[in-house]
Amino acid sequence: MEKTRAVTARPSPEAARDIPEATVARLPVYLRALTTLSEQGTSTCSSEELAGAAGVNSAKLRKDLSYLGSYGTRGVGYDVEYLRYQIAREIGVTQDWPVVIVGIGNLGQALANYSGFRSRGFRVVALLDADEARHDEVVAGLEVRPFSDLEQIVSDHAVAIGVIATPAVAAQDVADRMVACGITSILNFAPSVLSVPEQVDVRKVDLSIELQILAYHEQRKTQGAAS
Amino acid sequence: MEKTRAVTARPSPEAARDIPEATVARLPVYLRALTTLSEQGTSTCSSEELAGAAGVNSAKLRKDLSYLGSYGTRGVGYDVEYLRYQIAREIGVTQDWPVVIVGIGNLGQALANYSGFRSRGFRVVALLDADEARHDEVVAGLEVRPFSDLEQIVSDHAVAIGVIATPAVAAQDVADRMVACGITSILNFAPSVLSVPEQVDVRKVDLSIELQILAYHEQRKTQGAAS
DNA sequence: TAGATTGTTAATCGATTAACAATC
DNA sequence: TAGATTGTTAATCGATTAACAATC
């Protein structure tokens, strides 16, 4: 009676391959909302409640969850712990991800100290900086090491994810070296467009771009009031 | 002979109202690419070149620019300086935007020191923190002030944009106070869902969510290799 | 004029949403 | 059984892209 896609009750890794990007980007938001609910002692929630906590509408939430499987109970809702685990497993944060941060300026230090990484399965294994003057400095309990140690560290810790927090001018070089070492996922805070091989994923966080998007809308609000 | 929308040769603020969100989010990227080209001494570029520098395909670039007006020359390309100015004006970064940062921990300090804001029309006018122990500390040339000064500062400097870099638990309170003071755009670095009135824009930057999205894709790469 | 490149069209693709049948 | 809520459908909306007429 069920549709073809849903027939495989526990979706195998293969079957689950086609989760839309927009859904993938929201799964961590749901995960965080479930963690909050769990900490508040909530053991069951409806799609309406969870959607509220995550800041989306409930139709979208249910549609998103339907790509993972059927983890709810009609007429009842979702078991918070169970759903939390299923989403964590789907994202991959039930395992430990060693991460290396390159560029230990203000932002790099803030990232090294950010407790939100550790609690979500990410472990910062090394801090690297090209500036010799910074070496042996200790940040967040880790010694800052020369950039040339990258290869050794990546191979020692099986690092798959690299974070770039260098100035723009250095970012492409760092990315090239990361790729050469076998890193296949990069989070880039430098304001520059990286070119990498197809199999390497790059995500970009650009603080001033976010402000500019706000400014665009802000400008129109004010204009509207003036005209 | 031209279509209705394009008839208003210089689009008035009113006419330009309907730029798609996806396009708005890319305008700052084009602006940065044009600034780089300009600094390299390039005075003219084709959509192909600019698209390359911005990391998008040229069809998308031309489509995006078409929402602003006709700023290129067929057979020739775009004048780098002219296009740069037109996009800056459209975004609103030809004017000065006073910004206040609340929460001067590691991340708040990194933001306060980030030079990319100033060079793009954003001016940090005050740093606020609820922790008394931090007051009178000087960060990026600004004294850290009590959170209770918010209202005075917003009114003195006509602040329209606020940045939240506090722990999650404080973020909603800060947002409420900001809204009460008349701030209508918020950039939120705290890992929490803010609820604000409809007319207030909130953008969220969540470091650990970005890493989780990378982890999701990373997990599948590895799985694919193993299975 | 011939070559180059924009600005626009139209087709396609992916994301969102309301509504509701399925089912606890 | 009656009430509640999921999981899915189908319609709608918005974004992307290739192709090309317009035009420098």
Side-chain angles (χ1 to χ4, degrees):
Chain A
M1 220 51 75
E2 286 183 281
K3 297 305 299 245
T4 325
R5 223 201 80 264
V7 160
T8 325
R10 296 294 124 158
S12 69
E14 283 75 17
R17 193 157 291 172
D18 51 352
I19 299 183
E21 261 310 300
T23 298
V24 170
R26 281 188 295 264
L27 292 180
V29 180
Y30 302 152
L31 186 58
R32 175 166 281 151
L34 285 163
T35 302
T36 305
L37 287 174
S38 173
E39 283 167 3
Q40 290 168 355
T42 310
S43 65
T44 295
C45 69
S46 67
S47 62
E48 201 68 52
E49 290 171 280
L50 180 53
V56 302
N57 77 45
S58 66
K60 191 187 279 182
L61 171 75
R62 290 198 303 277
K63 181 79 170 145
D64 284 340
L65 294 184
S66 76
Y67 292 111
L68 312 191
S70 294
Y71 295 132
T73 307
R74 289 171 203 238
V76 178
Y78 302 92
D79 181 283
V80 171
E81 277 309 317
Y82 180 63
L83 184 57
R84 202 187 60 78
Y85 174 74
Q86 293 301 340
I87 293 179
R89 191 180 53 89
E90 189 69 39
I91 298 176
V93 290
T94 47
Q95 60 183 275
D96 182 71
W97 292 99
V99 168
V100 61
I101 300 177
V102 178
I104 313 302
N106 284 302
L107 182 59
Q109 290 183 33
L111 295 172
N113 280 297
Y114 181 49
S115 60
F117 290 158
R118 173 61 76 103
S119 67
R120 279 168 195 86
F122 300 99
R123 187 163 45 88
V124 178
V125 296
L127 307 177
L128 306 182
D129 201 294
D131 182 1
E132 279 188 38
R134 283 226 171 88
H135 301 158
D136 303 334
E137 224 177 278
V138 173
V139 174
L142 288 168
E143 211 175 274
V144 177
R145 298 170 61 180
F147 182 50
S148 53
D149 287 3
L150 180 66
E151 191 147 28
Q152 188 65 54
I153 290 163
V154 168
S155 114
D156 284 354
H157 296 88
V159 174
I161 300 177
V163 175
I164 300 180
T166 66
V169 69
Q172 182 64 58
D173 279 347
V174 172
D176 290 344
R177 289 283 299 270
M178 283 180 167
V179 170
C181 293
I183 285 181
T184 45
S185 293
I186 295 176
L187 183 54
N188 180 29
F189 287 90
S192 45
V193 177
L194 298 182
S195 89
V196 296
E198 206 186 355
Q199 76 273 14
V200 177
D201 270 311
V202 175
R203 291 192 68 85
K204 190 166 177 296
V205 175
D206 192 315
L207 311 178
S208 85
I209 282 182
E210 297 300 326
L211 274 188
Q212 289 177 66
I213 296 170
L214 284 175
Y216 171 83
H217 293 293
E218 188 60 41
Q219 185 184 220
R220 329 218 109 214
K221 288 180 205 164
T222 322
Q223 266 182 8
S227 75
Chain B
M1 220 51 76
E2 286 183 283
K3 296 305 298 249
T4 326
R5 221 200 82 263
V7 160
T8 325
R10 297 294 125 161
S12 69
E14 283 73 16
R17 192 157 291 172
D18 50 351
I19 299 183
E21 261 310 301
T23 297
V24 170
R26 280 186 296 264
L27 291 180
V29 180
Y30 302 153
L31 186 58
R32 174 166 281 151
L34 285 163
T35 301
T36 305
L37 286 174
S38 174
E39 283 166 2
Q40 290 168 356
T42 310
S43 64
T44 294
C45 69
S46 66
S47 63
E48 201 68 53
E49 290 172 281
L50 180 53
V56 303
N57 77 46
S58 65
K60 190 187 280 179
L61 170 75
R62 289 198 303 277
K63 181 78 169 148
D64 284 340
L65 294 184
S66 76
Y67 293 110
L68 311 192
S70 294
Y71 295 133
T73 307
R74 290 170 201 236
V76 177
Y78 301 92
D79 181 282
V80 170
E81 276 310 317
Y82 180 63
L83 184 58
R84 201 187 61 76
Y85 174 74
Q86 293 301 339
I87 293 179
R89 192 180 53 89
E90 188 70 39
I91 298 175
V93 290
T94 48
Q95 60 183 275
D96 183 73
W97 292 99
V99 168
V100 61
I101 301 177
V102 178
I104 314 301
N106 284 302
L107 182 59
Q109 291 184 32
L111 294 172
N113 281 296
Y114 181 49
S115 59
F117 290 158
R118 173 61 75 103
S119 68
R120 280 169 194 83
F122 300 99
R123 188 163 44 89
V124 178
V125 297
L127 308 178
L128 307 182
D129 201 294
D131 181 2
E132 279 187 37
R134 284 227 170 86
H135 301 157
D136 303 334
E137 224 177 277
V138 173
V139 174
L142 289 168
E143 210 175 274
V144 178
R145 298 171 60 179
F147 182 50
S148 53
D149 287 3
L150 180 67
E151 192 148 26
Q152 188 64 54
I153 290 164
V154 167
S155 111
D156 285 354
H157 295 89
V159 174
I161 301 178
V163 176
I164 300 180
T166 65
V169 69
Q172 183 63 59
D173 280 347
V174 172
D176 291 344
R177 289 283 299 272
M178 283 181 167
V179 170
C181 293
I183 285 180
T184 45
S185 293
I186 296 176
L187 182 56
N188 179 30
F189 287 90
S192 45
V193 176
L194 298 182
S195 90
V196 296
E198 206 186 355
Q199 76 275 15
V200 177
D201 270 311
V202 175
R203 292 191 68 85
K204 189 167 178 295
V205 175
D206 192 316
L207 311 179
S208 86
I209 282 181
E210 297 299 326
L211 273 188
Q212 288 177 68
I213 296 169
L214 283 175
Y216 172 84
H217 293 292
E218 190 60 40
Q219 184 186 34
R220 331 218 105 213
K221 287 180 207 166
T222 323
Q223 265 181 9
S227 73

